[in-house]
């Protein structure tokens, strides 16, 4: 519960950082499966990667530019959001408190919002 209070009270607002400088704070680390794309989203304390189901690295945010990174509460749950100019997308990840899933939203220019609920790996 103390961790949730810390997440609620700590907001990182509108900064440009490199992923190596990202601090997910108390946002849950781990891996979640995007079954639509046979991809695994891996969150560590200081990086986010997209892996193939065979473990190959598809995308590594560690050397990419991250804009608008913030930790917040969305839909009553801890969330992180960021945009990445190299990917041309904005991402929001919402971790419900009552289960192990992770909701991901990807905003892409000229395309519909992509939303998926991912299962914990």
């Amino acid at each position: 519960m103390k961790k949730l209070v810390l997440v609620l009270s700590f907001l990182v607002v509108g900064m440009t950082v490199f992923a190596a400088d990202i601090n997910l704070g108390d946002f849950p680390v781990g891996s979640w499966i995007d079954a639509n794309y046979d991809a695994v989203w891996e969150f560590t304390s200081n990086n986010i990667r997209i892996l193939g189901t065979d473990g190959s690295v598809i995308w590594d945010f560690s050397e990419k530019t991250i804009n608008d990174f913030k930790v917040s509460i969305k839909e009553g749950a801890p969330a992180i959001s960021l945009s990445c100019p190299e990917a041309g997308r904005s991402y929001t990840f919402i971790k419900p408190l009552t289960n192990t899933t992770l909701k991901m939203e990807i905003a892409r220019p000229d395309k519909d919002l992509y939303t998926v609920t991912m299962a914990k790996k």
Side-chain angles (χ1 to χ4, degrees):
M1 193 64 177
K2 289 180 184 178
K3 289 182 179 183
L4 176 60
V5 172
L6 182 60
V7 169
L8 290 171
S9 64
F10 182 75
L11 299 176
V12 179
V13 180
M15 313 188 291
T16 298
V17 297
F18 286 95
D21 297 327
I22 287 178
N23 179 352
L24 296 181
D26 290 325
F27 190 84
V29 296
S31 299
W32 284 267
I33 300 168
D34 179 347
N36 295 337
Y37 286 94
D38 292 326
V40 176
W41 285 77
E42 176 187 74
F43 294 82
T44 60
S45 61
N46 63 356
N47 193 19
I48 301 169
R49 297 189 314 164
I50 307 169
L51 307 173
T53 52
D54 63 357
S56 61
V57 177
I58 297 171
W59 188 265
D60 189 335
F61 286 88
S62 66
E63 296 181 6
K64 308 299 183 199
T65 304
I66 303 298
N67 294 327
D68 307 318
F69 178 79
K70 68 180 176 178
V71 178
S72 63
I73 299 299
K74 187 171 181 181
E75 300 174 10
I80 58 173
S81 59
L82 58 99
S83 62
C84 178
E86 291 93 338
R89 299 172 180 183
S90 297
Y91 304 87
T92 301
F93 302 94
I94 304 164
K95 178 60 188 92
L97 298 173
T98 58
N99 60 48
T100 60
T101 63
L102 180 69
K103 180 179 177 183
M104 176 177 63
E105 300 173 348
I106 301 176
R108 306 165 290 182
D110 303 324
K111 294 187 180 180
D112 291 337
L113 180 70
Y114 174 75
T115 301
V116 64
T117 299
M118 300 187 291
K120 180 97 169 139
K121 181 175 179 198

